[in-house]
């Protein structure tokens, strides 16, 4: 697997979950924030604003997932990056559906995502399972600990 210790923790989580087939479209922002406690346990959790700023610099995909009704973030693969002119982009965040056509700047995206997910992050409800926000499931914790093996 092509993990890079120099990559942000969330990028390695996305890569791992995609390679293992745990996800198809991506992970929610609250999931990526809370996941840090398992992948980099000595580091503090990022705020939504900090995560979105990192995503906008490093690059990722984002869309509203029909399965869970939430915005999810995925890795920015080379094929999508090469076609980014075909998509709506907010800096290096490539939005692969029309769910954010009315958002054009990172500050607007931050306001939008904070209004949706601040409560979840503040109450440590990082995972949406069967329509309900909760902490992580035992299976998700196991999957996150798999990522930690590469960086311990």
């Amino acid at each position: 697997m092509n993990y890079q210790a120099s990559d942000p923790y969330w990028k390695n989580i996305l890569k791992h979950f995609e390679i293992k087939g745990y996800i198809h479209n991506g992970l929610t922002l609250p999931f990526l924030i809370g996941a840090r406690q398992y992948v980099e346990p000595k580091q503090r959790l990022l705020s939504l604003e900090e995560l979105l700023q990192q995503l906008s610099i490093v690059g990722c995909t984002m869309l509203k997932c029909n399965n869970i009704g939430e915005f999810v973030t995925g890795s920015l693969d080379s094929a999508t990056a090469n076609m980014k002119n075909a998509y709506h982009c907010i800096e290096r965040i490539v939005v692969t559906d029309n769910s954010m056509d009315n958002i054009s700047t990172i500050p607007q995206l931050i306001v939008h995502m904070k209004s949706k997910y601040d409560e979840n992050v503040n109450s440590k409800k990082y995972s949406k399972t069967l329509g309900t926000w909760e902490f992580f499931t035992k299976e998700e914790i196991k999957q996150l600990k798999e990522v930690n093996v590469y960086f311990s």
Side-chain angles (χ1 to χ4, degrees):
M1 295 188 199
N2 194 14
Y3 298 95
Q4 301 291 324
S6 60
D7 280 341
Y9 79 93
W10 53 264
K11 188 172 181 183
N12 287 308
I13 291 169
L14 287 171
K15 282 186 210 173
H16 181 77
F17 275 59
E18 290 165 350
I19 289 167
K20 290 287 200 169
Y22 298 151
I23 58 171
H24 299 288
N25 293 319
L27 292 166
T28 66
L29 297 172
F31 191 100
L32 290 172
I33 288 170
R36 190 173 201 183
Q37 64 195 296
Y38 295 102
V39 178
E40 292 183 327
K42 294 182 180 169
Q43 301 297 318
R44 69 172 181 76
L45 300 186
L46 296 177
S47 67
L48 276 164
E49 182 173 353
E50 291 167 324
L51 177 59
L52 286 164
Q53 287 171 342
Q54 285 187 17
L55 293 169
S56 73
I57 293 166
V58 175
C60 67
T61 62
M62 198 173 280
L63 63 93
K64 188 159 188 182
C65 178
N66 290 331
N67 291 339
I68 63 170
E70 302 297 339
F71 292 97
V72 294
T73 300
S75 295
L76 183 59
D77 61 30
S78 58
T80 306
N82 290 336
M83 293 183 53
K84 71 179 182 183
N85 291 339
Y87 297 109
H88 174 63
C89 295
I90 307 168
E91 294 190 22
R92 293 203 64 222
I93 298 173
V94 180
V95 184
T96 59
D97 67 1
N98 64 355
S99 63
M100 290 183 257
D101 286 352
N102 62 337
I103 297 171
S104 57
T105 67
I106 294 302
Q108 289 173 332
L109 182 62
I110 289 168
V111 168
H112 181 71
M113 294 302 176
K114 284 182 74 156
S115 72
K116 283 202 61 70
Y117 298 119
D118 246 359
E119 185 178 324
N120 299 88
V121 172
N122 292 336
S123 59
K124 298 182 182 189
K125 293 180 179 178
Y126 303 119
S127 175
K128 190 170 184 181
T129 306
L130 302 173
T132 303
W133 284 96
E134 59 182 39
F135 192 68
F136 295 107
T137 65
K138 288 179 182 177
E139 183 65 17
E140 289 166 337
I141 292 169
K142 179 179 135 315
Q143 293 166 345
L144 286 167
K145 287 181 177 179
E146 293 170 5
V147 180
N148 191 34
V149 171
Y150 298 102
F151 305 101
S152 352

